[in-house]
Amino acid sequence: MKNVIDIDGHKAIVSLDPEIGMIRGEFLGLSGGADFYVKSVDDLIIEGRKSLKVFLEMCAERDIPPFREFSGRFNVRLDAQIHEAAVLAAAAENKSLNEWVAEAIEAAARAE
């Protein structure tokens, strides 16, 4: 997966902020925002650890769960023609639309 780094088991998206000329990291899956800015790639892990530590400490002080809970359910809105094509593709594989979409998302999410 591009632009994602792992810091102590937690994933962060990394991008360039051209307005300030710095690299920005933002942790995913947290119940709040935890981001960090660095000038060099070498500093990503160091600053990411600091940001994550501060976030986790604040959550502990305020008795807030630090991680988002995911239900496993979400809605997707598609163009009607894409919806129809997906139903047909799923049926051709003898799968429900839900099974077909879940497998496609899983394959895409696991791709590096």
Side-chain angles (χ1 to χ4, degrees):
M1 196 177 287
K2 294 181 181 178
N3 301 329
V4 176
I5 59 172
D6 186 293
I7 299 176
D8 299 334
H10 303 284
K11 305 284 189 221
I13 297 271
V14 178
S15 61
L16 175 65
D17 186 333
E19 290 184 20
I20 61 173
M22 295 182 81
I23 301 167
R24 178 179 187 259
E26 179 179 14
F27 284 98
L28 305 172
L30 301 180
S31 60
D35 61 351
F36 51 99
Y37 289 84
V38 297
K39 290 191 181 242
S40 73
V41 173
D42 295 334
D43 294 331
L44 279 171
I45 302 295
I46 294 166
E47 290 302 314
R49 281 187 176 135
K50 288 180 189 176
S51 176
L52 184 60
K53 181 181 178 201
V54 168
F55 177 80
L56 294 174
E57 287 171 354
M58 287 177 55
C59 286
E61 288 172 12
R62 297 176 182 172
D63 198 28
I64 297 170
F67 303 103
R68 278 181 64 191
E69 291 187 30
F70 295 92
S71 69
R73 303 180 95 182
F74 71 100
N75 294 320
V76 178
R77 289 170 184 78
L78 301 171
D79 177 84
Q81 291 176 327
I82 300 295
H83 186 179
E84 179 183 14
V87 169
L88 292 172
E93 294 182 25
N94 201 27
K95 296 178 182 174
S96 70
L97 180 59
N98 189 73
E99 290 171 318
W100 188 81
V101 169
E103 288 176 9
I105 290 172
E106 182 178 1
R110 295 191 188 284
E112 296 270 342

